[in-house]
Structures are given as structure tokens and as C-alpha cells.
């Protein structure tokens, strides 16, 4: 189970390694669960564009707001919902879908999430909201490959959603091994005695090969800039300016043996919290 | 009219970058860079700044400036008020504007009346926007706007409560009967071994195949719940039409108060800029300029250069000059500071006309209708024209335009043509500048000579090199290997002082400066022999 108490009062992005992996579905579940910890704001980055739910294959579930929930979405989405809202902020950037508002639901309703178009705008909006509202839990439905947005907002975390099946089994397992390795890399501290090299931008194989042998450690902004596998970096150490460690990784399995998956995860010595989807009942 | 070239020459942008109004209206006004051409308008702006200066330095803090700044920061640009129906977001922005403006108005009520003759705050609009919700910044279409909204919402709430009860009951039945918890999930994926048990309760759940060994199970909602949800949507449509009526009424009221809102936007922009300017004045020790028919600078500072000197550990010499005549001719050795003198005066003059206080112990000046610059540093180019051609074309263009009184800053006119004709042109230009009524000037040149025809010409001679100090630093000059070191030594030998002369004095230090900077000795020796012969 995801440690929900660790999300309380924090900003958490629900991110995914690919399109249509079940991010919104997990967000719906977390929203219902997190209410018992206090007020919640739900938002998104950009327009989702994924009309179908990854797991059910059906039209995506709308976000179900309860009275008292906060939402960040377009004014159009607010007006099209069956809700009754208190408008508390209007973001300064108007999107192609109209102005984005932060509103508090005054009764239960379903709503579509459409977020700011850029990471910077989202970061500004969330920071401003947190400054004014304090200890509200913020859950953001992240679009694909938007992990960099996590780095934009200081102190926020993320939950990574991955879908795994026979076709991508090994690839996903390698991806989890990589995430685990990156989670073990510390934040760079100036007082380290190691001989280091700072890489600005992407760490590619070509750039890695140019690093002198006597360099003991490499410093990179965050793991989204790393395009080599751990064994290629070895024996050098890797440090990040901004370490990004997921709260949890949620796996949506299809057509695989979940027990074997658990064994393989254990065999790879992955220490990250890896959870099977909360919609998944292995035994009743 | 301020010439763009003079704007750039003065480095006034350096101060604009340090000027930070808080509200979008202040920022918008900053972007417009208003210039004052009337003494009365400028006096108004200065008095407003003085008011904020008094608040900033008031030990009792009668006016709570922190709160004022917070309110200015919270204001957002409001939509243009038209006859159209405003949406929720637009009304929210107007409410936020009105609420914060009210806070500012409460704090500065006397200033609104004294400086802007604004005595009628749109109270009625504020009260309307606060109906049933108070003077918070958020906005809700409460039932207080229309009793029909209260009624329909009560019906919706009752149905929602009923819906919640039905859903809760359903979850309880599923948990008890099927051991499935749907309370935080719209569906569940379960092992297909459960099919036998689940299939006996198809009235409760819908079953689909998920993969080879799992089923996807969804709730089947009762007929009663579906009917109830349809009813909620019908009521919502009714509620929406009532909300539109309310939005129309509020929009009409906003349109009625449109003029006052517009005026408030302007006033807040002015107040905000005056506050930010007063903060700059405190930070950089700026004083109010005085308007009179003269030019006097006491301890005037060019902030960008002062900062640069501070960073490089060099002493900065503030400017002290006085000029009751129409203009002055600046001359003296290269690197002697002619350009800096003109730039400092231009900086102080532009700050004055842009409504700022000035970084000076005292600054007395005129207000000009037109301020122009002609000089090599900011020169435009024109295809097919030489540097000299561009210069005369630019001089002519600027001479022909602009209103009076006007102020010309001219740096090294005709420096790119032969010395004989350049001198003739410079003498003639000086004569015309001085002769033309309503024209004031500062002209820096090496070329004006004793043949000029200006009676009682004000001559500012830059003192230049301190030869005693230079002598004492000869060894250091010889040892200096980099240009940076040489420049540092040379500037340390310069005396940045203006000597007022009654006639032009001999002023030849160019070869010495070239020598100190390490210029080719053979060329220098030959140049000296030319001069001697």
C-alpha cells in the first residue's frame, strides 16, 4: 500500500513512463483516499489527450470532487460540470482552452482536468496556492514524460505509474532497476573530497566517454538527464543536483504472473516501494 | 520628446531595471515610461513621491506600507468593461481588484482626494460582489443574489445526499455479499476464479474479461440511482439559467461602475509607481530635483558608473557643475571624463523628466520639450552613407524636428572627417546652437578653436592627467603587462574635475596616453617630430 500519510500536505505528481498507463485512474483513487487527511487540490499539466482509460479501455473516468475539494482547471471545465464553485484564483496565463482557475467545490461533482500549458506556469500556480492555503495536499495528474515538472517545484514528489505486460516485461523491469539505482544516488554536496565532473544537460554515452578516467564522480541535474545505464557509469559515482525519488511506483499488470513479477523485483534487489495497482485484487 | 539615442546614452535603463512597481497597473505604467513636460504635472508626481517618502521614513508607521504593498501585489489586471455578460473568472478578478482597492483607499483616502480628486469609491459594486460571502477575494454566485438559486440548490443538495446514501448502501451490500470494496474505486480487477460467485450477483456487478486470468468488475447502479442522477442534471440546467441571470445583473452593475473602475486602475498605477520610486529614492539617496532657469548639479552620481567603480575598487567622483547660460563646451584630453559629465547630466535630466528623484545632493534644471543626442556611440547607420554622412544627416534631422525649449547633447561632432573642416563645422554648430532661441546644449569636442564666435562661451575644461602622480607611477606603467593594468594606472592618474575657463587652452595629451598604453614607439616618435616641426 502507498503510504498515504507521506503525501499529506505535499505536492505529488502522478507521472507515467508512457501514454495511457493509468495515471488518471490512480489519481481518482488517491483523491478519495487523501480526503481523510485534510483538504486536497487536484490539477493537471496541459490537456491529457488520452480519452480512454488504460485499464478498462473505456472512456476515462472524470475526476469526482467532493464538497470542499480544490480544483485547478479551465473555467470552461468548471462551467460544464454540474458543480457549484467558489472561484479563488485566476491564473495569469490564458491557455488555448481559456483561463485556468483555482476553485473550491461547494458540492460534489465530476469535472475534467485541464492544466497550465508549461511546467513553469504550473510551478508558479502551485507555489502560489501553497503559499496562500498552506497544508493542502496537492495531487497533479502529470502528462507523459513530464518528470522534469517535478524538478520545477521545490519539495514536491511523485508517484510513477507503469503498465506491464508480456511485450514490455523486460523493458519495464530494466526501467525499475534504473529508477532504483537513481534513487540511491545522493544529492551533490560541495564539500565532497571526490574528483568530480559536472555535466550540464544530458549525460549521453558520447559525453560519458569523454570524461577522464581519474574522475570519480559525475554530477547531473536530475535523473531525467541521464541517458546511459548504471553499468555504463560504473565504477564512477553519480550525484544529482536535484534528486528525485518516487513516493512509490504503481504497476498495472496485464497478462502476466504477478507472483513471478514480485520474485523478479526481489531478485533485482530493487529497494523502491513498488505497489501493484490498488484496483487489483490478487486474492479474495 | 526624448530621443532614443539620448535614452540609451544616459543609461537610464539601468535605473529602470531597479524600479519595481508591485501591481500590474504600476508595471504597465512603468512600461509606458511617461515623460513630464509640464512643471505642474511634474510637481504633482514629486509631491506624491514625497508623500510616500514620508511614509517610508515615518518611525510610527502611520500608514501600513507592508499591507499596502501586499494589496498592490494581489491586484490582477481586470477585463475591459463592456456591455457583454462577464464570466465567473472575470467577475472574480473585478472583485479581487475592488476588495484590494478598497483596502488601499481606506489607508490613503486623503491622498485619493488630494492628488486625484477621487472621492467616490464604488461601494455599491463592492457590496454587490460581496453578497453572502463577505469581502474575501474569492467569488461565489451565492443564493443571496437570487432566491431561486437557493431553492434549486437545496433540491440538488437533498438529491446528492440521497445519492450518497444509496451509493454507501450499495458499497456495504457489495462488501457483505461479494467481499468487494468499491468505496475508493470505480472498478476492480479480480482473479477469474471468482467468476462463479460473482455471476450469481449480476444485478450488483458487471463482469468483463480483463486478461487470461482476471476479470474486470464494475458496479451496476440501481435504477433509482440513475433516475436520481438524471434529476440532478435537470436541476443543474435550471440552476445554470438562474446563474446566467445573476451574471447579467452583476455585469450591468459593473458596466455602470466602469468609469470609476477605470479611474481606480489609473490611480493605483500612479500610486504604485510613486511608492516604488520613493523606495528607489531611499535606497540610492535620491533627492527631489528643482525646476528653474539654470543647470546646477551638486554631487550628481551616474549610478551605473558609481557601481562599476565600487566593484573595481576605483574611486568615483560625483559631478559638481553650474550653468546659468544656454550651454557649455566640454573639452580636454581623451579619457578625461567629458562623456561621463554629459552622460551624468543626461541621466539626471531624463530621470527628472520621467518623474523620478535624482541621485544628487542637488539638481536644478529646466524642463525641455525635446531632448536630443548626436554622437558616435549611439549612431544609426544608413546604407551608402559614410560615418560622417550619417552624422550630418542625423544632426540635420534632429535639428529640424523637436519642440522648444530643447536640449542637445553632442559628443565629438565631425570626429570622422578631416580636422580642418571638422573644426570649421564644430565652430559653426556651436555658434548656431548658441544663437538659436530656446536651444540649450552640452557639446564635447576636440575641434572647436579660438575662431568660434560665441561671446562669453562657457568652457568646461576637463583637468585630465595629474602629471606628478603619473611621474611617480612610471615604473608601475613599465611593469604593467596587461591592458587592464595599464587602464587602471591611467585612470588613477586622471583628475576628474571641471575647470571653468574663459578661453580655450592648449590641450595635447593624446600622444602621452598612446605611449602609456604601449603604442608603437617608432610611430609615436615620428608623430612627435611632426608636431615639433
Amino acid at each position: 500500500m502507498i503510504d498515504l500519510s507521506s503525501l499529506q500536505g505535499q505536492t505529488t505528481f502522478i507521472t507515467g513512463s508512457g501514454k495511457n498507463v493509468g495515471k488518471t485512474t490512480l489519481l481518482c483513487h488517491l483523491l478519495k483516499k487523501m480526503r481523510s487527511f485534510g483538504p486536497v487540490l487536484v490539477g493537471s499539466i496541459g490537456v491529457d489527450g488520452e480519452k480512454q482509460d488504460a485499464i478498462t479501455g473505456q472512456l476515462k473516468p472524470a475526476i469526482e470532487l467532493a464538497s470542499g475539494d480544490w480544483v485547478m482547471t479551465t473555467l470552461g471545465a468548471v462551467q460544464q460540470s454540474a458543480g457549484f464553485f467558489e472561484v479563488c484564483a485566476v491564473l495569469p496565463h490564458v491557455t488555448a482552452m481559456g483561463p485556468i482557475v483555482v476553485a473550491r467545490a461547494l458540492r460534489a461533482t465530476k469535472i475534467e482536468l485541464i492544466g497550465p500549458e508549461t511546467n513553469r506556469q504550473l510551478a508558479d500556480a502551485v507555489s502560489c496556492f501553497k503559499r496562500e492555503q498552506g497544508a493542502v495536499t496537492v495531487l497533479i495528474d502529470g502528462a507523459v514524460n513530464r518528470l522534469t515538472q517535478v524538478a520545477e517545484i521545490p519539495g514536491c514528489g511523485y508517484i510513477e505509474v507503469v503498465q506491464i505486460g508480456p511485450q514490455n516485461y523486460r523493458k519495464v523491469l530494466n526501467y525499475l532497476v534504473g529508477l532504483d539505482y537513481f534513487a540511491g544516488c545522493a544529492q551533490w554536496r560541495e564539500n565532497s573530497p571526490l574528483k568530480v565532473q559536472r555535466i550540464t544537460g544530458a549525460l549521453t554515452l558520447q559525453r560519458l566517454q569523454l570524461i577522464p578516467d581519474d574522475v570519480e564522480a559525475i554530477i547531473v541535474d536530475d535523473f531525467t538527464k541521464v541517458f546511459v545505464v548504471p553499468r555504463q557509469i560504473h565504477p564512477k559515482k553519480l550525484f544529482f543536483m536535484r534528486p528525485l525519488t518516487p513516493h512509490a511506483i504503481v504497476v498495472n499488470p496485464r497478462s502476466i504472473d504477478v507472483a513471478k513479477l514480485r520474485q523478479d523485483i526481489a531478485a533485482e534487489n530493487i529497494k523502491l516501494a513498488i505497489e501493484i495497482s490498488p484496483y487489483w485484487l490478487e486474492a479474495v | 520628446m526624448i530621443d532614443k539615442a539620448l535614452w540609451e546614452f544616459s543609461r537610464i535603463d539601468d535605473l529602470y531595471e531597479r524600479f519595481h512597481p508591485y501591481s500590474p497597473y504600476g508595471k504597465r505604467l512603468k512600461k509606458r515610461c511617461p515623460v513630464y513636460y509640464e512643471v505642474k504635472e511634474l510637481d504633482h508626481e514629486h509631491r506624491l513621491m514625497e508623500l510616500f517618502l514620508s511614509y517610508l521614513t515615518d518611525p510610527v508607521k502611520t500608514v501600513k506600507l507592508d499591507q499596502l504593498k501586499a494589496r498592490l501585489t494581489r491586484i490582477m489586471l481586470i477585463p475591459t468593461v463592456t456591455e457583454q455578460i462577464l464570466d465567473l473568472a472575470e467577475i472574480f478578478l473585478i472583485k479581487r481588484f475592488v476588495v484590494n482597492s478598497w483596502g488601499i483607499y481606506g489607508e490613503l483616502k486623503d491622498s485619493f482626494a488630494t492628488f486625484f480628486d477621487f472621492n467616490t469609491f464604488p461601494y455599491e459594486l463592492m457590496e454587490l460582489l460581496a453578497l453572502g460571502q463577505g469581502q474575501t477575494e474569492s467569488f461565489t454566485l451565492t443564493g443571496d443574489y437570487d432566491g431561486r438559486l437557493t431553492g434549486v440548490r437545496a433540491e440538488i443538495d437533498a438529491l446528492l445526499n440521497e445519492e450518497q446514501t444509496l451509493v454507501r448502501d450499495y458499497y456495504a451490500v457489495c462488501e457483505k455479499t461479494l467481499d468487494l470494496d468499491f468505496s475508493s474505486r470505480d472498478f476492480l480487477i479480480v482473479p477469474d476464479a471468482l467468476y462463479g460467485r460473482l455471476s450469481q450477483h449480476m444485478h450488483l456487478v458487471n463482469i468483463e474479461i480483463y486478461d487470461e486470468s482476471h476479470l474486470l468488475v464494475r458496479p451496476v447502479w440501481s435504477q433509482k440511482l440513475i433516475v436520481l442522477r438524471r434529476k440532478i442534471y435537470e436541476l443543474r440546467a435550471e440552476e445554470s439559467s438562474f446563474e446566467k441571470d445573476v451574471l447579467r445583473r452583476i455585469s450591468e452593475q459593473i458596466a455602470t461602475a466602469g468609469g470609476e473602475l477605470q479611474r481606480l486602475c489609473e490611480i493605483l498605477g500612479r500610486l504604485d509607481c510613486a511608492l516604488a520610486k520613493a523606495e528607489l529614492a531611499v535606497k540610492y539617496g535620491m533627492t527631489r530635483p528643482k525646476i528653474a532657469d539654470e543647470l546646477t548639479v551638486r554631487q550628481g552620481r551616474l549610478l551605473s558608473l558609481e557601481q562599476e567603480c565600487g566593484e573595481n575598487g576605483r574611486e568615483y567622483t560625483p559631478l559638481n557643475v553650474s550653468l546659468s547660460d544656454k550651454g557649455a563646451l566640454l573639452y580636454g584630453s581623451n579619457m578625461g571624463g567629458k562623456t561621463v559629465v554629459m552622460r551624468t547630466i543626461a541621466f539626471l535630466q531624463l530621470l527628472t523628466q520621467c518623474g523620478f528623484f535624482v541621485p544628487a545632493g542637488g539638481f536644478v534644471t529646466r524642463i525641455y520639450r525635446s531632448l536630443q543626442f548626436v554622437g558616435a556611440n549611439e549612431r544609426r547607420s544608413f546604407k551608402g552613407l559614410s560615418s560622417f554622412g550619417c552624422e550630418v544627416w542625423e544632426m540635420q534631422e534632429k535639428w529640424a524636428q523637436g519642440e522648444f525649449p530643447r536640449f542637445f547633447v553632442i559628443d565629438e561632432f565631425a570626429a570622422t572627417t578631416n580636422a580642418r573642416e571638422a573644426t570649421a563645422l564644430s565652430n559653426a554648430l556651436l555658434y548656431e546652437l548658441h544663437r538659436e532661441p530656446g536651444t540649450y546644449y552640452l557639446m564635447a569636442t576636440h575641434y572647436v578653436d579660438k575662431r568660434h564666435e560665441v561671446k562669453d562661451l562657457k568652457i568646461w575644461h576637463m583637468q585630465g592627467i595629474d602629471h606628478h602622480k603619473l611621474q611617480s607611477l612610471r615604473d608601475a606603467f613599465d611593469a604593467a603587462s596587461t591592458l587592464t593594468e595599464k587602464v587602471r594606472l591611467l585612470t588613477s592618474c586622471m583628475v576628474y574635475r571641471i575647470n571653468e575657463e574663459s578661453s580655450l587652452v592648449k590641450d595635447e595629451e593624446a600622444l602621452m596616453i598612446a605611449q602609456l598604453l604601449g603604442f608603437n614607439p617608432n610611430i609615436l616618435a615620428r608623430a612627435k617630430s611632426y608636431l615639433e616641426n
Side-chain angles (χ1 to χ4, degrees):
Chain A
M1 282 295 288
I2 298 167
D3 177 13
L4 297 174
S5 65
S6 70
L7 309 183
Q8 185 185 1
Q10 303 297 312
T11 300
T12 304
F13 283 81
I14 317 298
T15 59
S17 58
K19 268 186 101 119
N20 211 11
V21 292
K23 296 182 291 291
T24 310
T25 307
L26 181 68
L27 178 76
C28 291
H29 170 73
L30 288 176
L31 173 60
K32 285 177 182 168
K33 286 287 186 189
M34 288 311 296
R35 270 182 209 125
S36 58
F37 292 88
V40 185
L41 167 84
V42 280
S44 171
I45 172 98
V47 186
D48 191 324
E50 297 163 25
K51 291 289 178 201
Q52 288 185 318
D53 181 73
I55 305 171
T56 64
Q58 298 208 345
L59 280 177
K60 280 210 159 176
I63 304 294
E64 281 183 38
L65 298 177
S67 178
D69 284 347
W70 298 82
V71 63
M72 185 189 297
T73 189
T74 59
L75 180 68
V78 164
Q79 287 167 331
Q80 278 165 28
S81 78
F84 167 37
F85 289 91
E86 177 185 8
V87 178
C88 302
V90 175
L91 303 197
H93 318 282
V94 177
T95 69
M97 315 283 282
I100 290 182
V101 299
V102 176
R104 198 160 60 92
L106 298 176
R107 70 167 174 249
T109 186
K110 291 184 179 180
I111 196 161
E112 187 187 358
L113 294 182
I114 300 169
E117 285 166 350
T118 68
N119 294 348
R120 189 70 258 152
Q121 290 170 8
L122 179 76
D124 289 346
V126 171
S127 304
C128 179
F129 177 80
K130 293 286 281 182
R131 239 188 346 263
E132 293 190 4
Q133 300 299 332
V136 174
T137 301
V138 178
L139 299 172
I140 304 289
D141 190 2
V144 185
N145 295 331
R146 289 281 198 154
L147 259 175
T148 43
Q149 73 213 354
V150 178
E152 291 268 359
I153 305 177
C156 75
Y158 73 103
I159 294 175
E160 175 87 354
V161 184
V162 291
Q163 193 168 37
I164 187 164
Q167 290 83 10
N168 68 351
Y169 190 87
R170 195 61 240 173
K171 192 179 162 192
V172 169
L173 211 54
N174 287 341
Y175 178 67
L176 297 179
V177 170
L179 280 184
D180 189 59
Y181 168 76
F182 294 137
C185 297
Q187 182 168 21
W188 170 245
R189 303 266 175 232
E190 288 296 337
N191 55 5
S192 167
L194 296 172
K195 183 171 183 191
V196 298
Q197 181 154 339
R198 170 91 164 87
I199 300 288
T200 313
L203 175 62
T204 57
L205 188 57
Q206 201 179 9
R207 293 183 84 177
L208 183 68
Q209 284 163 347
L210 292 173
I211 297 173
D213 289 345
D214 62 337
V215 167
E216 296 164 285
I218 305 165
I219 310 165
V220 181
D221 277 345
D222 58 65
F223 81 76
T224 64
K225 309 288 189 301
V226 180
F227 296 93
V228 288
V229 294
R231 64 177 163 77
Q232 290 168 322
I233 298 169
H234 186 78
K236 298 183 197 308
K237 288 188 170 182
L238 184 64
F239 288 91
F240 294 122
M241 298 303 288
R242 294 181 302 254
L244 301 169
T245 304
H247 286 302
I249 296 167
V250 173
V251 177
N252 284 319
R254 187 188 278 266
S255 303
I256 60 158
D257 180 349
V258 171
K260 182 178 180 302
L261 175 65
R262 286 191 196 284
Q263 281 170 15
D264 288 343
I265 288 169
E268 294 286 357
N269 200 20
I270 294 172
K271 292 170 206 71
L272 281 176
I274 297 180
E275 312 288 348
I276 302 299
S277 165
Y279 290 80
W280 187 274
L281 255 64
E282 287 181 68
V284 178
Chain B
M1 181 265 283
I2 296 179
D3 177 17
K4 187 169 173 272
L6 184 66
W7 188 275
E8 284 166 14
F9 174 75
S10 72
R11 296 191 185 163
I12 191 175
D13 274 339
D14 176 70
L15 189 104
Y16 263 92
E17 280 168 21
R18 307 173 198 210
F19 169 44
H20 300 297
Y22 297 90
S23 71
Y25 293 100
K27 286 173 187 159
R28 199 154 76 173
L29 189 60
K30 174 192 167 181
K31 215 171 173 180
R32 277 201 346 239
C33 294
V35 181
Y36 297 90
Y37 298 106
E38 299 295 335
V39 176
K40 198 178 160 189
E41 286 177 6
L42 193 59
D43 177 62
H44 186 272
E45 183 70 9
H46 284 161
R47 281 192 297 116
L48 200 54
M49 277 176 68
E50 278 177 334
L51 178 78
F52 280 108
L53 264 178
S54 69
Y55 296 151
L56 283 166
T57 52
D58 174 15
V60 188
K61 309 239 178 284
T62 323
V63 172
K64 294 174 189 70
L65 284 178
D66 286 346
Q67 286 181 19
L68 200 72
K69 286 184 229 173
R71 288 196 178 280
L72 284 167
T73 310
R74 296 191 67 77
I75 283 172
M76 294 175 79
L77 288 174
I78 58 171
T80 311
V81 176
T82 61
E83 298 301 312
Q84 284 180 340
I85 299 177
L86 299 167
D87 62 35
L88 266 178
E90 290 169 325
I91 294 176
F92 162 80
L93 289 174
I94 290 169
K95 184 180 178 191
R96 184 160 166 162
F97 175 83
V98 171
V99 165
N100 284 298
S101 301
W102 172 244
I104 296 167
Y105 181 71
E107 201 72 49
L108 301 173
K109 202 169 180 176
D110 293 342
S111 311
F112 272 74
T114 313
F115 286 96
F116 303 104
D117 197 21
F118 186 91
N119 300 299
T120 50
F121 193 85
Y123 300 103
E124 280 183 23
L125 177 62
M126 192 170 70
E127 279 172 15
L128 179 73
L129 295 175
L131 260 186
Q133 50 199 309
Q135 284 176 18
T136 56
E137 287 179 8
S138 60
F139 180 71
T140 319
L141 284 174
T142 62
D144 295 67
Y145 289 107
D146 190 328
R148 293 177 301 170
L149 278 175
T150 312
V152 75
R153 281 173 184 163
E155 279 187 70
I156 293 173
D157 285 346
L159 291 178
L160 282 172
N161 282 337
E162 205 178 322
E163 182 201 25
Q164 269 187 20
T165 309
L166 288 173
V167 169
R168 261 200 309 268
D169 291 349
Y170 168 80
Y171 289 157
V173 170
C174 279
E175 193 143 20
K176 193 177 171 191
T177 319
L178 306 171
D179 206 11
L180 296 181
D181 176 11
F182 284 109
S183 63
S184 65
R185 294 165 279 212
D186 294 330
F187 64 91
L188 286 166
I189 294 161
V190 301
D192 59 4
L194 291 182
Y195 181 76
R197 202 170 92 206
L198 295 176
S199 62
Q200 292 169 27
H201 302 277
M202 299 293 269
H203 62 291
L204 283 177
V205 288
N206 176 286
I207 305 166
E208 294 167 38
I209 292 170
Y210 177 70
D211 64 16
E212 295 83 347
S213 54
H214 291 86
L215 304 170
L216 192 142
V217 186
R218 270 179 224 286
V220 170
W221 302 114
S222 66
Q223 192 65 25
K224 191 175 175 186
L225 196 63
I226 292 166
V227 170
L228 197 140
R229 283 175 175 166
R230 284 192 60 189
K231 179 70 183 158
I232 292 172
Y233 272 96
E234 283 167 22
L235 288 171
R236 169 61 195 148
E238 214 175 303
E239 180 192 28
S240 184
S241 77
F242 300 153
E243 284 177 348
K244 272 186 192 143
D245 288 347
V246 175
L247 287 175
R248 188 179 300 112
R249 270 184 15 235
I250 295 175
S251 301
E252 282 166 6
Q253 189 86 17
I254 288 171
T256 308
E260 285 161 305
L261 290 176
Q262 192 57 42
R263 184 102 176 85
L264 265 176
C265 295
E266 287 166 21
I267 293 172
L268 290 177
R270 293 280 305 277
L271 287 171
D272 186 12
C273 282
L275 169 60
K277 283 176 179 176
E279 287 185 315
L280 270 183
V282 171
K283 190 170 179 185
Y284 296 108
M286 296 158 90
T287 57
R288 178 176 173 165
K290 192 178 160 198
I291 309 303
D293 189 21
E294 61 173 271
L295 172 69
T296 300
V297 184
R298 192 163 49 79
Q299 295 291 303
R301 292 170 293 130
L302 181 63
L303 290 180
S304 54
L305 185 61
E306 186 184 36
Q307 186 178 338
E308 203 179 303
C309 286
E311 285 165 3
N312 297 328
R314 279 161 45 197
E315 190 189 348
Y316 175 77
T317 313
L319 179 66
N320 290 289
V321 283
S322 184
L323 183 67
S324 55
D325 212 339
K326 287 188 67 187
L329 175 77
L330 283 93
Y331 84 112
S333 60
N334 300 87
M335 297 179 71
K338 298 185 294 294
T339 303
V340 170
V341 168
M342 292 202 299
R343 181 169 280 144
T344 308
I345 294 173
F347 177 62
L348 300 177
Q349 183 67 37
L350 262 54
L351 282 180
T352 300
Q353 295 211 225
C354 290
F356 288 87
F357 281 9
V358 291
F363 183 57
V364 188
T365 190
R366 302 174 186 87
I367 294 293
Y368 301 103
R369 303 287 304 176
S370 151
L371 296 119
Q372 308 269 29
F373 175 80
V374 178
N377 290 344
E378 322 295 337
R379 186 164 304 141
R380 289 179 289 164
S381 60
F382 191 90
K383 207 174 176 183
L385 276 184
S386 65
S387 305
F388 176 69
C390 285
E391 191 176 10
V392 289
W393 163 64
E394 195 174 346
M395 184 71 233
Q396 172 51 31
E397 197 183 40
K398 290 182 178 177
W399 187 269
Q401 62 180 226
E403 292 177 66
F404 294 88
R406 64 182 179 178
F407 183 58
F408 270 103
V409 176
I410 300 168
D411 195 15
E412 309 285 11
F413 182 66
T416 53
T417 192
N418 69 77
R420 193 166 160 267
E421 286 182 286
T423 305
L425 267 172
S426 299
N427 280 339
L429 175 61
L430 180 65
Y431 179 78
E432 283 302 316
L433 284 167
H434 203 79
R435 192 189 64 81
E436 181 84 32
T439 297
Y440 299 81
Y441 63 93
L442 286 176
M443 182 171 168
T445 181
H446 292 287
Y447 290 136
V448 165
D449 67 10
K450 59 187 178 186
R451 289 173 294 169
H452 75 79
E453 297 170 89
V454 178
K455 276 185 186 169
D456 304 322
L457 175 64
K458 201 80 166 173
I459 299 169
W460 288 352
H461 178 232
M462 305 308 297
Q463 182 152 335
I465 295 174
D466 175 345
H467 292 272
H468 286 295
K469 190 167 184 189
L470 178 66
Q471 209 55 43
S472 69
L473 290 173
R474 276 287 176 184
D475 291 345
F477 264 107
D478 292 341
S481 56
T482 65
L483 181 61
T484 311
E485 284 176 63
K486 284 178 176 151
V487 170
R488 190 179 55 77
L489 286 168
L490 193 53
T491 50
S492 74
C493 291
M494 285 290 175
V495 180
Y496 296 109
R497 189 166 62 219
I498 296 172
N499 297 318
E500 290 196 15
E501 309 280 358
S502 54
S503 62
L504 296 159
V505 293
K506 192 180 172 197
D507 185 47
E508 288 179 348
E509 288 175 337
L511 295 191
M512 185 191 293
I513 289 170
Q515 186 189 352
L516 291 170
L517 290 173
F519 195 63
N520 184 307
N522 293 338
I523 299 174
L524 277 174
R526 190 160 292 274
K528 275 179 192 166
S529 78
Y530 280 129
L531 279 177
E532 283 157 11
N533 299 321

